[in-house]
Amino acid sequence: MPGKLYNRLAIVGFGLIGSSLARIAREKGVVGEIVAVDSSEKHRERIAALGLADRVTGDIAEGVAGADLVVFAVPVLAMGEAMAAAAPALAPGATVTDVGSVKGSVAEALKASAPDHVFVIPGHPIAGTEHSGPEAGFAELFDGRWVILTPDEGREDAPYVEATAKLATFWRACRAQVEQMDLKHHDLVLAITSHLPHLIAYNIVGTASDLEGVTEGEVMKYSAGGFRDFTRIAASDPTMWRDIFVANKEAVLEVLGRFTEDLQALSRHIRWGEADKLHDLFTKTRAIRRGVIALGQESAEPNFGRDRGKH
Amino acid sequence: MPGKLYNRLAIVGFGLIGSSLARIAREKGVVGEIVAVDSSEKHRERIAALGLADRVTGDIAEGVAGADLVVFAVPVLAMGEAMAAAAPALAPGATVTDVGSVKGSVAEALKASAPDHVFVIPGHPIAGTEHSGPEAGFAELFDGRWVILTPDEGREDAPYVEATAKLATFWRACRAQVEQMDLKHHDLVLAITSHLPHLIAYNIVGTASDLEGVTEGEVMKYSAGGFRDFTRIAASDPTMWRDIFVANKEAVLEVLGRFTEDLQALSRHIRWGEADKLHDLFTKTRAIRRGVIALGQESAEPNFGRDRGKH
């Protein structure tokens, strides 16, 4: 076990991700104290009531002062402003990271106002649920999930490299796996593995709710044939996701273009009754799921185990 | 409790759905004996080894002879041929139904060779998992799920109406809820709640596996951000789904057209940074999930409860 890695962890934005990180960091004993910063009074009350942090404040500068690890866990378009508010109070030598789902524009926003005396190492834990807020967090959220760090490329000064290694150790202590990647590649990988799936899910739920000839009640009632899976993703936090699509516009439009092309080809196969081509695709896609399960990123149980209580 | 509703139930096609129906029908004691008919020798061996039926055969005519309830549970494009093989052996007064996901073309295929002395009442239980085969079935599969029956419209002769009511009683005894609908409406409702979701899922998994710049390994590794949900649906039985898209072409292409239009509008909102319009959609879609959960068609647990073991 690594013991205490940081004396004071300040988490700015104490929602699902921020509060889960606080829970596991405390459970693992890898930080001295935890300061929660949240702009919502309701959140602050819940954080205090649940005893999730040693100190709770609504003031960013006050919250980050004296912290040697600062984690920004606010929606991606709010990162720049949060960093600007924190900057004057950041301690020399502090490590500053984030958990945003987009890295290119967020790294830029963080660096815009970061003082030279801190180490900015953007990051992204690929973990979450469709719920939000400090009560939705849980210590096991990062178990076996991947955290992608995107440190400055080509920057090889020892203190920065050491700060990056220490941040990776911290995430591993929180039971995550850690990988490094360049910003642009991260944004493309996440566009296909996370952003496009959300866009598609939001879209199909929207289409279904507006369809003439089928009522919303029917859509809900008969959703067990597949639709209900999409409603989970389409119940994710609207502000978080609005920001992601604005911040990762280029990569999202690129993969969306590919998706649409493929969908048109599939549509043509259906129109012309090209059954073999459908069967080929439907066979190929099975292998991907086996890979996802083999890599420990998914439950092997049928229906995600949601029927587990039943049998 | 209804007691014995039928003396002999013959299930033609003993996969996930067929074998689940056999399990629950036996558990509830609503049929005298169960005959399993399956064209796969491997399946027949498993059915016998697991003791899922009183008799197992590969011969359809032999299997349905003397049965007062015959359920066809083969892929939808195989229904017509199965019915043709069964027809000469069907007992007078028998109820003949199916579990196909498309009703218009299946009803036509069943009726094409059905003798006048049986009651053809097409049906569709909206239940399943991504697994297939007799071992994948379980008695609780239909718990609280909907079964849609599509009896002949306008046919009001007492024996047919009674046969329909009895079939509904049978499904309710198997713990399902029952609704009646006309064929065309069924096919439109299922196109949006089941067929389009599958098409989209197959498509996105295909797109992801062919994307330049992102490896299949990366797609699997970082799938917890949303993509993994789609891989479940895209792991469904290829033959079953090929048949559905061929058999429900018109309704699928209609809802696919609507989906694509909506996706283009969403794409434009992203391109022009129309953040408010994204937020509006992402807020509206949350309500649909709440409805699905309230109607008992979905787990209320975060991540479908797939993390349940963890916390």
Side-chain angles (χ1 to χ4, degrees), chain B residues 236-252:
Chain B
S236 301
D237 186 65
T239 302
M240 171 182 162
W241 282 96
R242 174 200 66 192
D243 281 14
I244 288 171
F245 293 115
V246 172
N248 200 26
K249 179 169 90 172
E250 281 174 36
V252 168

mmCIF file of all heavy atoms in Angstrom, chain B residues 236-252:
data_model
loop_
_atom_site.group_PDB
_atom_site.id
_atom_site.type_symbol
_atom_site.label_atom_id
_atom_site.label_comp_id
_atom_site.label_asym_id
_atom_site.label_seq_id
_atom_site.Cartn_x
_atom_site.Cartn_y
_atom_site.Cartn_z
ATOM 1 N N SER B 236 -26.734 -10.067 -29.817
ATOM 2 C CA SER B 236 -27.942 -10.892 -29.958
ATOM 3 C C SER B 236 -27.810 -11.836 -31.162
ATOM 4 O O SER B 236 -26.984 -11.630 -32.026
ATOM 5 C CB SER B 236 -29.163 -9.991 -30.138
ATOM 6 O OG SER B 236 -29.304 -9.116 -29.026
ATOM 7 N N ASP B 237 -28.669 -12.821 -31.195
ATOM 8 C CA ASP B 237 -28.619 -13.864 -32.226
ATOM 9 C C ASP B 237 -28.690 -13.306 -33.658
ATOM 10 O O ASP B 237 -29.688 -12.683 -34.037
ATOM 11 C CB ASP B 237 -29.777 -14.832 -31.977
ATOM 12 C CG ASP B 237 -29.723 -16.020 -32.906
ATOM 13 O OD1 ASP B 237 -28.766 -16.797 -32.790
ATOM 14 O OD2 ASP B 237 -30.613 -16.148 -33.774
ATOM 15 N N PRO B 238 -27.660 -13.525 -34.464
ATOM 16 C CA PRO B 238 -27.606 -12.932 -35.811
ATOM 17 C C PRO B 238 -28.719 -13.397 -36.753
ATOM 18 O O PRO B 238 -29.252 -12.599 -37.520
ATOM 19 C CB PRO B 238 -26.249 -13.387 -36.359
ATOM 20 C CG PRO B 238 -25.460 -13.858 -35.201
ATOM 21 C CD PRO B 238 -26.435 -14.300 -34.158
ATOM 22 N N THR B 239 -29.081 -14.667 -36.689
ATOM 23 C CA THR B 239 -30.114 -15.179 -37.588
ATOM 24 C C THR B 239 -31.479 -14.604 -37.232
ATOM 25 O O THR B 239 -32.232 -14.140 -38.092
ATOM 26 C CB THR B 239 -30.154 -16.723 -37.526
ATOM 27 O OG1 THR B 239 -28.855 -17.213 -37.874
ATOM 28 C CG2 THR B 239 -31.186 -17.285 -38.469
ATOM 29 N N MET B 240 -31.775 -14.599 -35.952
ATOM 30 C CA MET B 240 -33.040 -14.027 -35.488
ATOM 31 C C MET B 240 -33.178 -12.586 -35.964
ATOM 32 O O MET B 240 -34.212 -12.185 -36.492
ATOM 33 C CB MET B 240 -33.091 -14.081 -33.960
ATOM 34 C CG MET B 240 -34.260 -13.319 -33.369
ATOM 35 S SD MET B 240 -34.247 -13.368 -31.538
ATOM 36 C CE MET B 240 -35.360 -11.992 -31.183
ATOM 37 N N TRP B 241 -32.105 -11.819 -35.831
ATOM 38 C CA TRP B 241 -32.193 -10.388 -36.157
ATOM 39 C C TRP B 241 -32.136 -10.106 -37.647
ATOM 40 O O TRP B 241 -32.792 -9.196 -38.147
ATOM 41 C CB TRP B 241 -31.170 -9.596 -35.330
ATOM 42 C CG TRP B 241 -31.729 -9.461 -33.956
ATOM 43 C CD1 TRP B 241 -31.470 -10.252 -32.879
ATOM 44 C CD2 TRP B 241 -32.767 -8.553 -33.553
ATOM 45 N NE1 TRP B 241 -32.275 -9.892 -31.817
ATOM 46 C CE2 TRP B 241 -33.070 -8.849 -32.212
ATOM 47 C CE3 TRP B 241 -33.471 -7.527 -34.192
ATOM 48 C CZ2 TRP B 241 -34.041 -8.141 -31.489
ATOM 49 C CZ3 TRP B 241 -34.439 -6.810 -33.480
ATOM 50 C CH2 TRP B 241 -34.709 -7.125 -32.145
ATOM 51 N N ARG B 242 -31.365 -10.896 -38.385
ATOM 52 C CA ARG B 242 -31.404 -10.771 -39.848
ATOM 53 C C ARG B 242 -32.854 -10.932 -40.321
ATOM 54 O O ARG B 242 -33.375 -10.117 -41.077
ATOM 55 C CB ARG B 242 -30.524 -11.865 -40.469
ATOM 56 C CG ARG B 242 -30.593 -11.922 -41.981
ATOM 57 C CD ARG B 242 -30.123 -13.265 -42.495
ATOM 58 N NE ARG B 242 -31.029 -14.323 -42.074
ATOM 59 C CZ ARG B 242 -30.788 -15.627 -42.166
ATOM 60 N NH1 ARG B 242 -29.624 -16.042 -42.644
ATOM 61 N NH2 ARG B 242 -31.664 -16.521 -41.763
ATOM 62 N N ASP B 243 -33.508 -11.956 -39.819
ATOM 63 C CA ASP B 243 -34.883 -12.232 -40.230
ATOM 64 C C ASP B 243 -35.836 -11.087 -39.889
ATOM 65 O O ASP B 243 -36.726 -10.740 -40.667
ATOM 66 C CB ASP B 243 -35.384 -13.513 -39.543
ATOM 67 C CG ASP B 243 -34.861 -14.771 -40.226
ATOM 68 O OD1 ASP B 243 -33.919 -14.656 -41.045
ATOM 69 O OD2 ASP B 243 -35.401 -15.863 -39.939
ATOM 70 N N ILE B 244 -35.660 -10.515 -38.713
ATOM 71 C CA ILE B 244 -36.556 -9.429 -38.283
ATOM 72 C C ILE B 244 -36.469 -8.237 -39.236
ATOM 73 O O ILE B 244 -37.484 -7.667 -39.633
ATOM 74 C CB ILE B 244 -36.228 -9.012 -36.831
ATOM 75 C CG1 ILE B 244 -36.691 -10.115 -35.872
ATOM 76 C CG2 ILE B 244 -36.865 -7.665 -36.475
ATOM 77 C CD1 ILE B 244 -36.247 -9.931 -34.430
ATOM 78 N N PHE B 245 -35.236 -7.877 -39.624
ATOM 79 C CA PHE B 245 -35.104 -6.703 -40.494
ATOM 80 C C PHE B 245 -35.650 -6.969 -41.891
ATOM 81 O O PHE B 245 -36.188 -6.076 -42.535
ATOM 82 C CB PHE B 245 -33.648 -6.221 -40.540
ATOM 83 C CG PHE B 245 -33.208 -5.680 -39.209
ATOM 84 C CD1 PHE B 245 -32.210 -6.299 -38.465
ATOM 85 C CD2 PHE B 245 -33.839 -4.561 -38.668
ATOM 86 C CE1 PHE B 245 -31.843 -5.814 -37.224
ATOM 87 C CE2 PHE B 245 -33.477 -4.061 -37.429
ATOM 88 C CZ PHE B 245 -32.475 -4.696 -36.703
ATOM 89 N N VAL B 246 -35.542 -8.205 -42.347
ATOM 90 C CA VAL B 246 -36.113 -8.553 -43.645
ATOM 91 C C VAL B 246 -37.647 -8.557 -43.543
ATOM 92 O O VAL B 246 -38.349 -8.032 -44.415
ATOM 93 C CB VAL B 246 -35.586 -9.930 -44.128
ATOM 94 C CG1 VAL B 246 -36.324 -10.387 -45.386
ATOM 95 C CG2 VAL B 246 -34.073 -9.859 -44.389
ATOM 96 N N ALA B 247 -38.148 -9.104 -42.437
ATOM 97 C CA ALA B 247 -39.600 -9.291 -42.293
ATOM 98 C C ALA B 247 -40.343 -8.007 -41.917
ATOM 99 O O ALA B 247 -41.536 -7.890 -42.159
ATOM 100 C CB ALA B 247 -39.884 -10.381 -41.249
ATOM 101 N N ASN B 248 -39.661 -7.056 -41.310
ATOM 102 C CA ASN B 248 -40.339 -5.812 -40.914
ATOM 103 C C ASN B 248 -39.718 -4.602 -41.610
ATOM 104 O O ASN B 248 -39.638 -3.511 -41.052
ATOM 105 C CB ASN B 248 -40.299 -5.629 -39.389
ATOM 106 C CG ASN B 248 -41.357 -4.656 -38.899
ATOM 107 O OD1 ASN B 248 -42.395 -4.469 -39.534
ATOM 108 N ND2 ASN B 248 -41.096 -4.009 -37.771
ATOM 109 N N LYS B 249 -39.304 -4.816 -42.830
ATOM 110 C CA LYS B 249 -38.602 -3.803 -43.617
ATOM 111 C C LYS B 249 -39.277 -2.428 -43.608
ATOM 112 O O LYS B 249 -38.634 -1.415 -43.308
ATOM 113 C CB LYS B 249 -38.490 -4.315 -45.058
ATOM 114 C CG LYS B 249 -37.813 -3.385 -46.008
ATOM 115 C CD LYS B 249 -37.507 -4.073 -47.324
ATOM 116 C CE LYS B 249 -38.644 -3.930 -48.318
ATOM 117 N NZ LYS B 249 -38.268 -4.442 -49.661
ATOM 118 N N GLU B 250 -40.553 -2.401 -43.932
ATOM 119 C CA GLU B 250 -41.201 -1.095 -44.106
ATOM 120 C C GLU B 250 -41.232 -0.264 -42.839
ATOM 121 O O GLU B 250 -40.867 0.910 -42.842
ATOM 122 C CB GLU B 250 -42.613 -1.267 -44.654
ATOM 123 C CG GLU B 250 -42.586 -1.524 -46.155
ATOM 124 C CD GLU B 250 -43.954 -1.835 -46.718
ATOM 125 O OE1 GLU B 250 -44.941 -1.245 -46.243
ATOM 126 O OE2 GLU B 250 -44.033 -2.683 -47.628
ATOM 127 N N ALA B 251 -41.665 -0.891 -41.735
ATOM 128 C CA ALA B 251 -41.742 -0.128 -40.482
ATOM 129 C C ALA B 251 -40.342 0.274 -40.003
ATOM 130 O O ALA B 251 -40.139 1.379 -39.502
ATOM 131 C CB ALA B 251 -42.468 -0.937 -39.407
ATOM 132 N N VAL B 252 -39.370 -0.616 -40.189
ATOM 133 C CA VAL B 252 -38.002 -0.298 -39.762
ATOM 134 C C VAL B 252 -37.447 0.877 -40.563
ATOM 135 O O VAL B 252 -36.879 1.822 -40.007
ATOM 136 C CB VAL B 252 -37.072 -1.527 -39.889
ATOM 137 C CG1 VAL B 252 -35.608 -1.127 -39.730
ATOM 138 C CG2 VAL B 252 -37.439 -2.587 -38.842
#
